Structure formats: structure tokens, C-alpha cells
Amino acid sequence: MEDKISLLNKHLKEKGLKSTRQRDLIVSEFFKRHQHLTVEELLERVRKIDQGIGYATVYRTLRLLTECGLAFKREFGGSARFEHSTDHHHDHLICLDCGKIVEFENDRIEKLQAEVCQKNRFKLINHKMELYGYCEKCHGKHHE
Amino acid sequence: MEDKISLLNKHLKEKGLKSTRQRDLIVSEFFKRHQHLTVEELLERVRKIDQGIGYATVYRTLRLLTECGLAFKREFGGSARFEHSTDHHHDHLICLDCGKIVEFENDRIEKLQAEVCQKNRFKLINHKMELYGYCEKCHGKHHE
DNA sequence: AAGAAATTGAAAATCAATATCAATTAGGAA
DNA sequence: TTCCTAATTGATATTGATTTTCAATTTCTT
Ligand SMILES: [Mn+2]
Ligand SMILES: [Mn+2]
Ligand SMILES: [Zn+2]
Ligand SMILES: [Zn+2]
């Protein structure tokens, strides 16, 4: 977390941007743990500490983090979610019932995706793979 | 196309829904060829034939087709796109420059996805896989 | 032909996200 | 420190896509 914040500060300096009480709070809450948060959820958390944080400021801060490569924006449907950026690419399993998100990496799939692109003469830039289903707990529920 | 329309009529009867001039036109334009159309694009086409079609009616008709399994809704970013439903599941390659959409099926990837779900004890319901990049033509352009 | 229920188009409402703007704040220069 | 300017903030308005509302019209069954 410290290195992430110093990377951000470096970015701010370079771009002539400023460090503010609100920005610092939002960033430090965001980096507390690796999760996939909506703007709304992060806003809720920072407001527990500073009542007056504006809605737009959270949007702006997450955009800033995304732009400087410290956060990834995910569009799973509904509101966008943001997570800490990671060294390795990963994809997601999403529970249709409770919303649980599980991350996975699968090199074999990635290789096959590259093959598909080659076959179709596409230069692959990025991809989105989301597996939707029911997590163990929720699947159990459905069978009473 | 005929069978699709008779399937739709069957669905309408069952649900006590009606066949209208507008609905029929929108449906027949939609089924003319297999494409991935936005509401806007389909509206444009039907308005060449009937000026007065309202855009809410196109939304409503595409929702109807989706609900009765005759259309798939795709969310590639920006406005939603709709395509004819197909027997076999397929995924998409999307050109970031010209928007070209190429369909593909890859059983090996599907198998691996199922494996990932098993490993994580998820019951897989559906998935989304979109490969974004540059088609041959557009990749060429970028290297002048 | 009559009547009930569905449908239509226009306009308003919704939802997530972005832009606007006056007031405030940060941080480098003096 | 104090000044100054540019960046930032929060509230609010706006946007873009989609859905809803509603009065007028149409369909379809009797
Ligand atoms: Mn993740
Ligand atoms: Mn398709
Ligand atoms: Zn679950
Ligand atoms: Zn292209």
C-alpha cells in the first residue's frame, strides 16, 4: 500500500496535481484491501470517516487511479467496480445470487484466445471473460 | 425467418399479446440478416419504411424478442446490441477501431471454463468472453 | 359493431456517469 | 509567512441509454 501511494504521489507531482485531504482519504480506504468496489460502496466507507466527502470526488479519484494504472475498472453489469491493479492479468467468476467474485488465472485459456485472434487475423489488445453462476453456498441454498 | 416469426406469433398468442403493424415491421427488419444491431440502427432501418415508428416501440420489441428467446442482447460497451439467437453458443472478436464483430466458437476454451468453475465449486450458468483488438484492415491502417 | 385489453408515440422519469461552476484549498514563489 | 494562481471540491445540472407513464389508438374476440 505504501508503494502504491508513493507511486500515486509521483504521478500527482508530475502532472501538477495536488494532494488533498479528500483524495488521500479515498485513496487510503481504497487500498485497504483487495476488493471489487462500486463508487457507492467506497463513498459509504469514506463517509464513515469524513461525512462531507462528495460523490463526484470519489468518481474523480477512481478515474485518477485508473488513469495512472493503480486501479482497474470492471464492468460486470450494473455500476462499474474498481479493484487494485495487479501484476498478472486475471479474470472473474461471479455469483449470480450473492455477488461473490472469485479471481482466476488460466494460461491455457489465454493461449487459446490468442490462437482465435491469430486465426481471425486480429491483433489482440485486451479481453473480457466473466463466468457467471452460483457459488457453492448459493447453489446449496437453491436445493433447500 | 418464417419459422422465427411463427414462433413469435405462437408466443404472442400464448401471452395474449397482439400483432401490430409496427411490431411486425420491426421484427421482419430485425430478422432480415444476422447482425449485431443497436436499437438506434434498427430504428433507422424501420423508419425508412415507416416514418412514424417510435423508438420506445423498438426497445419494447427487442425486449420481447429477447424474452421469448429469439434474440440475444449483447453488451459490448456503449449501447446494447441485439442479434438473432443461435443454436450454438458463440463468443465475439471486436475491432476497437471500426467496430467489426466476428463470431467464433471454441470448444476447448469452453471446456477449460467449465474446469475453472468446477475447481472453484461454482455452478456455471453462462459466460461472457469478448476479445478486443484490431481487425486486419484496421491494424494495417495503423502501420500506414 | 362493441368493448376490453394491448399497443403506440411523445414526453417524462430513471440510472450511472460526467460536466459545470462558484467557493475553497494547496503549495510554489516572493 | 504571506500571496497568488491553479487545482480541487461539493452541489447541482447535464448527458446518454433505457424504461416508464399516459392519453389516444388499435387489435381481436364476441
Ligand atoms: Mn479482480
Ligand atoms: Mn453474435
Ligand atoms: Zn453466491
Ligand atoms: Zn477494424
Side-chain angles (χ1 to χ4, degrees), chain B residues 76-143:
Chain B
F76 296 150
S79 311
R81 291 182 175 275
F82 294 83
E83 65 173 320
H84 304 179
S85 61
T86 55
D87 293 336
H88 293 293
H89 165 84
H90 67 267
D91 293 295
H92 300 88
L93 273 155
I94 299 147
C95 178
L96 292 164
D97 190 18
C98 69
K100 181 179 182 181
I101 294 169
V102 174
E103 305 184 331
F104 69 91
E105 291 177 59
N106 189 301
D107 292 341
R108 291 208 282 158
I109 294 180
E110 307 282 319
K111 269 207 192 78
L112 289 167
Q113 287 173 334
E115 265 180 40
V116 168
C117 286
Q118 278 188 317
K119 254 182 261 172
N120 290 280
R121 307 206 191 295
F122 261 68
K123 169 151 182 54
L124 182 60
I125 301 299
N126 62 63
H127 72 262
K128 171 179 268 202
M129 176 167 51
E130 294 148 19
L131 310 182
Y132 293 90
Y134 294 105
C135 73
E136 190 167 23
K137 194 185 275 183
C138 293
H139 185 50
K141 262 190 277 170
H142 286 277
H143 295 259

Side-chain angles (χ1 to χ4, degrees), chain A:
Chain A
M1 164 150 172
E2 284 320 311
D3 43 339
K4 303 232 173 187
I5 287 177
S6 62
L7 241 159
L8 174 63
N9 287 331
K10 189 162 155 269
H11 178 91
L12 295 179
K13 269 267 160 57
E14 276 170 12
K15 303 269 178 176
L17 305 177
K18 293 170 179 173
S19 166
T20 68
R21 178 173 52 79
Q22 294 92 328
R23 195 115 94 184
D24 293 349
L25 172 57
I26 294 164
V27 168
S28 82
E29 280 303 305
F30 177 70
F31 282 124
K32 265 194 181 158
R33 46 190 156 319
H34 185 82
Q35 280 189 260
H36 303 80
L37 292 173
T38 62
V39 168
E40 210 66 41
E41 288 165 351
L42 184 53
L43 177 63
E44 208 175 304
R45 293 199 190 175
V46 296
R47 280 206 172 150
K48 281 189 183 145
I49 297 164
D50 182 336
Q51 207 50 59
I53 302 278
Y55 172 66
T57 304
V58 179
Y59 270 102
R60 288 188 279 235
T61 304
L62 285 171
R63 181 169 49 192
L64 173 67
L65 290 176
T66 303
E67 280 165 2
C68 68
L70 288 169
F72 292 150
K73 183 180 188 174
R74 305 290 188 183
E75 324 237 30
F76 296 150
S79 311
R81 292 183 174 274
F82 295 83
E83 65 172 322
H84 305 180
S85 61
T86 54
D87 294 336
H88 293 292
H89 164 84
H90 67 266
D91 293 295
H92 300 88
L93 272 156
I94 299 147
C95 177
L96 292 165
D97 189 19
C98 70
K100 180 179 183 182
I101 295 170
V102 174
E103 304 185 330
F104 70 91
E105 292 176 59
N106 189 302
D107 291 342
R108 292 207 282 158
I109 294 180
E110 306 282 319
K111 269 205 190 81
L112 290 167
Q113 287 172 335
E115 265 179 38
V116 168
C117 285
Q118 278 187 318
K119 256 183 260 171
N120 289 280
R121 305 204 191 299
F122 262 68
K123 171 151 181 54
L124 181 61
I125 301 299
N126 61 63
H127 73 263
K128 170 180 272 206
M129 175 167 53
E130 293 148 19
L131 310 182
Y132 294 91
Y134 295 105
C135 73
E136 191 169 22
K137 194 186 279 186
C138 293
H139 185 48
K141 261 190 277 170
H142 287 279
H143 295 258
E144 93 264 44

Side-chain angles (χ1 to χ4, degrees), chain B residues 18 20 22-23 52-54 57 60:
Chain B
K18 293 170 180 173
T20 67
Q22 294 93 329
R23 196 117 92 182
I53 303 277
T57 304
R60 288 189 278 234

